Structures are given as C-alpha cells and as structure tokens.
Amino acid sequence: MIKQTIFLQFLLGILACFIVFFAGAEDPYRFYTWFVTYGTRAPLGVNQRVILINNLFPGPPIEAVTNDNIIVNVINQLDEPFLITWHGVKQRKTSWQDGVLGTNCPIPPHSNWTYKFQLKDQIGTYMYYPSTSMHRAIGGFGALNINQRSVISIPYPAFAGDFTLLVGDWYKAGDKALRKKLNSGLALPSPDGLLINGLHGSSVFTGQKGKTYKFRISNVGISTSINFRIQGHKMILVEVEGSHSLQEAYESLDIHPGQSAAVLVTLRGAIKDYYIVASTRFTKPILTTTGILRYQGSNTRASLPLPIGPTYHVHWSMKQARTLRLNLTANAARPNPQGSFHYGSIKVVRTLVLANAKAKINGKLRYTVNGISYVDPTTPLKLADWFNIPGVFTLNNIKDFPTSRPPAMGVSVFGLTLHDFIEIVFQNTEPTIQSWHLDGESFFVIGYGGGKWTTDSRRRYNLADAISRHTVQVYPNSWTAVYASMDNKGMWNLRSQIWSDRFLGLQTYLRVWNNEKSLYTETDIPPNALRCGKAKR
C-alpha cells in the first residue's frame, strides 16, 4: 500500500509538472477594447467627420510579438455596420477572423464583436483598417507591428528605436459623399492631400545623432502610390511586408496602396531638422506632405529647399521596380521555420490570369475581374460554405483566363485544394496603376512586364530570389506574375487596394479547401460568430 501511495504521488507530481509546463508555455495574450465612433478632425485644415478608435485618429497601434494571441473587442458606435480587417496577418486556420464580408457578418450599429486570432510565425510591419463600405476613407486604420521573440535574432544591425509612419492620401469629402458618387456611376476625383500619421506637414520624429533607427512605412491610402524619402539620409531596406530583404541603400522608395516596408536610417548629419517627404506618384498635380526628422537638441528648422523629387514616367518606374525585385531575397521573417522549399522548382498545378477592366453595367461604372464585377451576398461565403447553404455562391463560376463574355455582376469564387501551388498573373488593362492584395496567404513576386502577358513571358521570371509578400502593384497596361502556395485553409479575399475599384467590384475570393475535418488544418466556427443572411439561427 505504501509503495502504491508513493507511486501515485509520483504520477501526480509528473502530471503537475506537465500542467505547469504547458500552462507556462502557452503564448501570451494581449487584450484590447476598442470603441469605434465618429469624431471631428481637420487633417487638411477643414473640419470633417472621421472615424476614431478610442478617440484616436489614426487608431491605437498594436505592438505585439510573434505568436501572441490577440483579443480585440470592437464596439461599433457608428450608424452603419462595420468590420476591421488585419492586413497581412495570415490568420492561420482562422479565416473566421479575417474581417471581410466574405468571412464575417458585419458588426451591427451599437453592438460589439470580439476578434480572436494568433500572430502565428510572423514578424514585420502590418496594418489594420475598415473593410466595410468606404469607411476606410475617413479613418479607422492603424499600425500592427509584430516584433521577434527575444530568442530570435534579426538579420540586420540593432537599432536604437523605431518609428511608425502611416502615409496615405486623403479626401475632404466624407465617406458617404464618396460612396454616393461611386454609386451614381462616377469615378472619384483626385485626393485633396497626403497625411503622415493623420497630420499634414506636422509629424515630428526625434532621434540622437550617430544612432540608427527603424522607420516602418505603410501606405494606408485608398487610391494613390507614394514616393518616400528623408532629406540628406540614405535608407537601408530591411523588410517588405514580413519578409527580410537584401540590405541595399535607397534615396527614395515607391510604396503603393496597401504596401509596407521597413528601413534603417542612421543619423549622420549635422544637428538640425530634416524633411521627411512623401509625394504622390503618377498624378497631376503632384501632392506632397512633409514630416520632420529632428536631431535631439536641434532648435533649427530644416534649412535646405524642400525636396519635391523628380517626376518619373511609367517606363522608368517599371525598370526600377524590376531592379528592386531582383535585389530582394526570399528570406522570409518566419521565426519558427517549419522547413523550407525553393519556389522556383515547384510544379505549378494551376494558372489564373486575372484581368481587371473598367465596364458599364446597367449604365453605371463598375470594375470586373475576368468579366465579373463582384457583389457581396447577404450571407458571408464562409458561413454558406461551413453550413452547406445553397444559393449563395458557385465554385469556379469565374474563368481562369480572361474571356469575351459581357461584363456582369456576380459572386465569384475560385475553388482550390489545400497545398496547391499556383501561378497568378494580374493583367492590368487600364492606363492607371493597380495594387492587389491576398488575405490569408503570401506570394512570391516573380515577374513584371508591359503589354499583355503570354506564356512566353515566363522566360523573364525571376525564379532565384524573389521576395514573399502579400500586396503587389501592377503598372498601367502591364502585368505582374506571382507564385503562391495555398497552405492555409479558408475563404480568402483577393482584392484591389484601390478602394473605389474594390467597392465597384474589383475583387474575388479563393476557397482553399480539403475534405479533412481536423483542427490541424482549420478551427471550428467560433462560438461568438455573428449570423446573418441565410445563416441566421
């Protein structure tokens, strides 16, 4: 009996150790409560209605660490349904938390919903913003920075501190006025100005002479590419949308809508103020805004002439973009690598050539992907898929290649198998720049070119050192090609980051699926999931 008692105590001790070990090993949780309200601000000197989060414009930053669990209770105090999407966060196995109308019912006015997701195996510079209607045009956006764990090294020199810069275009007209214009069949005018962190010309960033700082730059605008530079300072590119890059020096960088980058800047100049400059690309007139890089102890304003920067034409930009692409390695910022593969040697199982086009449907302006102008159904695609609700969408009702079919409104969904390795070609048929983003996955940007893509264009692909990212530009009347491994089960939004184009139909969904019912590939529907449309209880 004594031996049995000792043995039982020994087993209980082992069990207690396991419980303590696993409880201590669980990744940290970060809790947020966000009140989403309207407020009044004057970003361009004129009072206008904006969207605030906890009375902040832009919204509060999320500063997190790899694998943190994020819990955000969003309390919608607007007069319209609302959702936030987490741009660049892969939502591993949790497309339920993606925050777009294909995966979530919107949060009704004067109610709340709690997002729960993990920043699994990601490091880098990301952002969040509203995905509903034209809300993004009046705020509700903010930074989401994921830092590496203390035991994980980064492949670039240590820095003294970092600065986050949310740069983007801004309209004085409110979201409802912009939405009314688009619904009437008219295109939006040019924006009225540019902002850095919600301010026009008055953001200040202070550092010490001789020290190096990381600048995180994200284009949170809804329509316009920007050129970013710092007077008298070189920028060392170290990260692009969660992937570490080859560290080369640049005097300026183009950052297109939805894109992010991080650079290192060493303060080697005289102790004074220097202009931080952002200006629009491919626009007439060129819009410019400035901030200040202030050396600590400086009482002197920036004394050199304001650097407006050259006005380059499209062919120069494509050449520069190809050079930048070739100079970026595919050293992704995964802190816990689960093995590696070389994208250039993997067999492509399916090619999607997606042509964006402007169209008139029922006498009004719309945008199409391979002839279909997307319209959100009242039942989110993810809920319809999970509960096998008929009549919401049909798989592969959109063709893999452009067709001559008359443009039409519809719900377009590509059906893909989990772990498919696919080629996507974005064909831009318009004389304006386009920017595409894929939720839930990342892709290797392997090629750019002018004119129409053909199979011969593959001879120009970079199959050696392309970088992995989630947003890519397509130059006017040109194409961009990417490779993507569909390794994340879910319903994923593929959309234009030119928000008016997306609003008017320039988006589609990729359903990544297999018939395995397992928590290793996808979580169950969350208990707090909102129900709407045909999915109402």
Side-chain angles (χ1 to χ4, degrees):
M1 178 68 71
I2 294 176
K3 289 183 178 180
Q4 289 178 340
T5 302
I6 293 173
F7 182 69
L8 180 60
Q9 290 175 341
F10 175 75
L11 286 179
L12 290 173
I14 293 293
L15 179 61
C17 289
F18 269 98
I19 292 173
V20 170
F21 174 80
F22 283 110
E26 186 176 11
D27 294 304
Y29 282 75
R30 295 179 186 268
F31 296 88
Y32 304 87
T33 298
W34 285 359
F35 291 88
V36 180
T37 63
Y38 293 120
T40 301
R41 296 291 188 274
L44 294 177
V46 177
N47 282 340
Q48 62 183 109
R49 189 175 73 167
V50 301
I51 290 177
L52 306 175
I53 299 179
N54 291 354
N55 206 37
L56 297 175
F57 172 76
I62 292 179
E63 295 287 347
V65 175
T66 300
N67 290 355
D68 280 355
N69 294 283
I70 305 298
I71 314 294
V72 186
N73 182 18
V74 175
I75 301 168
N76 177 18
Q77 296 183 334
L78 307 182
D79 59 1
E80 295 181 321
F82 183 79
L83 279 174
I84 288 175
T85 190
W86 315 94
H87 186 85
V89 175
K90 289 189 177 181
Q91 302 292 355
R92 287 282 177 193
K93 303 185 291 185
T94 57
S95 63
W96 306 104
Q97 310 293 330
D98 200 25
V100 293
L101 291 174
T103 56
N104 296 84
C105 297
I107 306 168
H110 310 296
S111 66
N112 75 298
W113 191 69
T114 302
Y115 291 87
K116 300 177 182 180
F117 57 91
Q118 187 179 23
L119 303 175
K120 183 65 176 171
D121 289 352
Q122 289 187 264
I123 298 172
T125 303
Y126 305 94
M127 66 183 99
Y128 65 83
Y129 51 76
S131 66
T132 41
S133 190
M134 289 295 289
H135 293 139
R136 184 179 173 187
I138 60 168
F141 51 78
L144 199 169
N145 298 326
I146 309 176
N147 299 288
Q148 81 282 1
R149 289 176 165 184
S150 59
V151 295
I152 301 298
S153 61
I154 50 176
Y156 49 85
F159 48 91
D162 62 51
F163 304 117
T164 297
L165 290 82
L166 304 175
V167 186
D169 51 30
W170 190 258
Y171 288 80
K172 293 178 181 177
D175 62 312
K176 294 185 178 180
L178 296 176
R179 186 173 65 196
K180 182 178 180 181
K181 192 174 188 70
L182 291 170
N183 284 332
S184 70
L186 300 175
L188 295 186
S190 298
D192 297 299
L194 292 181
L195 305 179
I196 299 177
N197 292 350
L199 302 171
H200 181 71
S202 53
S203 295
V204 178
F205 306 89
T206 302
Q208 294 183 17
K209 180 178 173 63
K211 292 191 175 182
T212 298
Y213 295 86
K214 181 160 74 171
F215 285 73
R216 301 178 182 267
I217 311 139
S218 295
N219 187 337
V220 296
I222 66 170
S223 65
T224 313
S225 300
I226 62 165
N227 182 261
F228 180 87
R229 51 214 182 271
I230 300 176
Q231 182 185 30
H233 291 74
K234 297 275 190 179
M235 300 180 292
I236 309 298
L237 186 67
V238 294
E239 179 235 327
V240 177
E241 296 167 20
S243 289
H244 296 142
S245 65
L246 196 65
Q247 296 164 30
E248 293 194 343
Y250 294 90
E251 292 185 355
S252 69
L253 289 173
D254 281 358
I255 302 180
H256 305 280
Q259 295 183 357
S260 298
V263 299
L264 295 183
V265 179
T266 301
L267 278 54
R268 293 192 174 99
I271 297 179
K272 62 177 183 178
D273 290 355
Y274 298 86
Y275 283 115
I276 296 171
V277 185
S279 57
T280 57
R281 299 284 276 115
F282 317 112
T283 63
K284 291 182 179 180
I286 297 173
L287 302 175
T288 300
T289 190
T290 60
I292 293 293
L293 171 57
R294 174 163 294 164
Y295 280 38
Q296 202 166 50
S298 169
N299 293 313
T300 307
R301 300 293 294 174
S303 57
L304 296 177
L306 179 64
I308 299 298
T311 305
Y312 301 115
H313 54 71
V314 173
H315 296 294
W316 182 94
S317 298
M318 287 182 62
K319 179 180 178 182
Q320 291 297 95
R322 292 191 194 104
T323 301
L324 178 58
R325 178 209 11 118
L326 291 170
N327 287 339
L328 297 179
T329 67
N331 177 16
R334 291 174 59 85
N336 300 309
Q338 306 299 314
S340 61
F341 57 82
H342 197 281
Y343 72 92
S345 61
I346 301 174
K347 182 180 178 181
V348 171
V349 301
R350 188 170 176 184
T351 295
L352 306 179
V353 179
L354 308 182
N356 62 276
K358 185 184 296 185
K360 279 291 183 74
I361 302 177
N362 300 326
K364 291 186 178 181
L365 174 67
R366 296 290 298 185
Y367 285 89
T368 64
V369 181
N370 290 2
I372 297 181
S373 183
Y374 187 88
V375 179
D376 282 300
T378 56
T379 306
L381 306 177
K382 185 62 186 174
L383 292 182
D385 200 27
W386 187 263
F387 293 114
N388 295 313
I389 300 172
V392 177
F393 71 93
T394 302
L395 279 179
N396 296 313
N397 63 329
I398 180 173
K399 301 299 181 183
D400 290 6
F401 292 84
T403 68
S404 58
R405 62 183 289 177
M409 313 273 268
V411 181
S412 54
V413 182
F414 289 98
L416 299 165
T417 301
L418 184 65
H419 300 305
D420 275 356
F421 192 76
I422 68 172
E423 174 187 36
I424 304 176
V425 179
F426 299 105
Q427 180 71 63
N428 186 5
T429 66
E430 296 297 312
T432 54
I433 199 165
Q434 190 54 252
S435 183
W436 282 94
H437 167 78
L438 176 58
D439 282 352
E441 311 280 1
S442 57
F443 45 66
F444 293 97
V445 183
I446 55 174
Y448 299 84
K452 186 177 180 180
W453 180 89
T454 68
T455 55
D456 287 340
S457 303
R458 291 181 175 132
R459 297 176 182 175
R460 303 171 54 183
Y461 283 2
N462 171 18
L463 300 181
D465 62 353
I467 199 165
S468 176
R469 58 192 308 174
H470 52 70
T471 306
V472 68
Q473 73 276 11
V474 192
Y475 292 101
N477 298 306
S478 301
W479 57 268
T480 295
V482 305
Y483 279 169
S485 178
M486 299 288 100
D487 61 356
N488 194 13
K489 191 172 179 179
M491 186 74 70
W492 303 114
N493 191 207
L494 178 61
R495 61 177 175 266
S496 170
Q497 287 301 119
I498 311 300
W499 217 244
S500 58
D501 295 4
R502 177 187 184 267
F503 181 84
L504 294 177
L506 197 54
Q507 59 174 312
T508 187
Y509 278 83
L510 307 184
R511 178 197 187 236
V512 181
W513 186 84
N514 69 358
N515 60 7
E516 177 189 12
K517 180 74 172 176
S518 170
L519 295 179
Y520 288 103
T521 56
E522 185 177 35
T523 64
D524 288 334
I525 184 171
N528 70 332
L530 298 175
R531 305 286 188 90
C532 56
K534 295 181 179 181
K536 282 185 178 179
R537 289 187 175 87

